[in-house]
Amino acid sequence: MKPTHCPPNCQNALRVADQLCQGRGVRLTPQRRQVLAILCDHHKPMGAYDILDLLKGEVSTAKPPTVYRALEFLLEQGLVHRIESLNAYVSCIHPEHPHASQFLICRDCGEVRELESRSVDQTLDSALKACGFKADSQVIEVTGRCLRCSEQTG
Ligand SMILES: [Zn+2]
Ligand SMILES: [Zn+2]
């Protein structure tokens, strides 16, 4: 089922996801694809229950485990990221390769911007090694105000 309200960049993200999954021999089932489409369509992070509400519009029998299982798959495939501090998910802007991400979270408009800075990643990596710490995730979340919001209010 193809969400008809999808903007072009979302269609593109879905196409990339299709290709990636095909290449890896994993299945982007219709439900996983719908969850991804919902996330691509909203440029803001969404909690699992927000996703469920929208998914119910298309799949009336959708239940929380449906969404969690789909999210787990999408996380594994690097198609979405989890923002711990918001307990929410965003679709990845460049899922073609595995990467550690930095997120800039605007506390006014809620916009989340994904950065992929290799130098931040490498610096963190060597700091972790020096401590002998084995990280589960290396996602950095920075909260503040985005350019648009700071320009609006000065
Ligand atoms: Zn990403
Ligand atoms: Zn903002």
Side-chain angles (χ1 to χ4, degrees):
M1 198 190 307
K2 232 178 231 153
T4 45
H5 53 276
C6 254
N9 59 334
C10 175
Q11 291 294 359
N12 188 49
L14 289 174
R15 210 167 24 241
V16 171
D18 280 333
Q19 284 164 1
L20 282 176
C21 288
Q22 209 164 25
R24 291 170 185 164
V26 294
R27 245 164 65 72
L28 189 63
T29 60
Q31 265 167 15
R32 290 166 174 172
R33 205 171 190 279
Q34 274 162 346
V35 169
L36 182 61
I38 288 169
L39 280 171
C40 289
D41 203 19
H42 288 72
H43 298 288
K44 289 181 182 175
M46 295 180 76
Y49 280 83
D50 299 328
I51 298 170
L52 180 63
D53 279 344
L54 291 175
L55 187 63
K56 272 186 174 157
E58 301 189 48
V59 186
S60 56
T61 54
K63 297 244 162 29
T66 321
V67 173
Y68 282 113
R69 274 200 299 267
L71 285 170
E72 205 176 308
F73 171 85
L74 296 171
L75 282 168
E76 265 169 28
Q77 298 302 321
L79 297 168
V80 304
H81 294 294
R82 188 177 140 81
I83 313 245
E84 298 284 341
S85 64
L86 303 174
N87 193 15
Y89 301 83
V90 285
S91 59
C92 177
I93 52 166
H94 32 48
E96 308 79 31
H97 58 279
H99 55 272
S101 295
Q102 301 89 39
F103 290 102
L104 310 184
I105 304 165
C106 178
R107 61 180 147 80
D108 285 358
C109 68
E111 187 187 85
V112 170
R113 188 163 156 204
E114 180 177 356
L115 296 182
E116 187 192 2
S117 163
R118 224 161 278 266
S119 54
V120 170
D121 198 23
Q122 280 163 358
T123 306
L124 182 59
D125 237 356
S126 47
L128 290 170
K129 273 207 190 80
C131 303
F133 190 86
K134 291 199 172 36
D136 292 330
S137 85
Q138 280 180 224
V139 178
I140 295 174
E141 303 178 11
V142 181
T143 47
R145 297 169 85 207
C146 71
L147 182 65
R148 208 177 41 228
C149 287
S150 27
E151 275 175 357
Q152 262 168 24
T153 48

